[in-house]
Amino acid sequence: MPSRRAVKSFVAAARHQSFTRAAEALCVTQAAISRQVRELGTYLGAELFVRVGHAVELTTAGAIFFDAAQLSFVNISQAAERIRGNDSRKRS
């Protein structure tokens, strides 16, 4: 399983189409984002981005992983909200 930090860095870079803007959003350095994305790419055995000027674009493999990661984050968020909602009702 890839590290949570690598996946989080990858998702931010994909969303912002920039390692620099991803770094700003996550309050880390651009080098940290680059390192995490490289780690994830090595783990998956695939290039996840291609550079286009100062921006980055997802490769086919990157797009597949981004879709899965996004869906996973949404599912986790929804589960957390359901649990929190149940806890609130139990305390009332």
Side-chain angles (χ1 to χ4, degrees), residues 31-79:
I33 297 293
S34 181
R35 189 171 41 256
Q36 292 299 322
V37 169
R38 186 171 48 253
E39 174 188 305
L40 181 60
T42 299
Y43 176 83
L44 296 172
E47 291 294 322
L48 301 172
F49 292 100
V50 292
R51 291 206 179 271
V52 180
H54 292 290
V56 291
E57 289 182 1
L58 290 169
T59 62
T60 300
I64 291 168
F65 196 80
F66 179 67
D67 289 344
Q70 282 284 89
L71 184 57
S72 295
F73 286 148
V74 168
N75 287 337
I76 291 167
S77 177
Q78 288 174 346

Side-chain angles (χ1 to χ4, degrees), residues 4-43:
R4 181 186 59 82
R5 183 178 301 157
V7 174
K8 186 176 178 181
S9 296
F10 165 77
V11 168
R15 256 194 217 129
H16 293 284
Q17 296 181 333
S18 165
F19 287 12
T20 301
R21 287 194 303 251
E24 291 168 358
L26 297 178
C27 299
V28 298
T29 64
Q30 185 274 341
I33 297 293
S34 181
R35 189 171 41 256
Q36 292 299 322
V37 169
R38 186 171 48 253
E39 174 188 305
L40 181 60
T42 299
Y43 176 83

